[in-house]
Amino acid sequence: FLAHEVSSIVPVAVTGEKDAVDKDGNIEPQGIDYSKIVPLLTKSLQEALARIDTLEAEVAKLKG
């Protein structure tokens, strides 16, 4: 993931500022704490799997 993209979704997981440079013009990269993203990804996957199960059951019922 790119930190600046994640910051709009999970700002607490990102450290640093986008496009930051120090006084000498060196890049100060952002960082991501992935442990703060894993619970969100897990929940999203659980929701997607539940939706897939529902849709598969509907398709099976329609096929009879």
Side-chain angles (χ1 to χ4, degrees):
F1 293 114
L2 297 176
H4 69 272
E5 293 174 350
V6 172
S7 66
S8 64
I9 302 164
V10 190
V12 69
V14 177
T15 57
E17 293 184 32
K18 183 179 183 297
D19 301 326
V21 293
D22 65 15
K23 62 181 179 174
D24 297 322
N26 298 313
I27 295 173
E28 292 185 347
Q30 288 179 290
I32 300 176
D33 181 351
Y34 290 99
S35 69
K36 294 180 180 172
I37 297 174
V38 170
L40 298 173
L41 295 174
T42 301
K43 180 64 177 168
S44 295
L45 180 57
Q46 290 170 337
E47 291 171 355
L49 291 172
R51 182 69 177 139
I52 290 168
D53 289 343
T54 300
L55 294 171
E56 286 178 340
E58 290 177 8
V59 167
K61 188 176 181 180
L62 291 171
K63 285 184 174 183

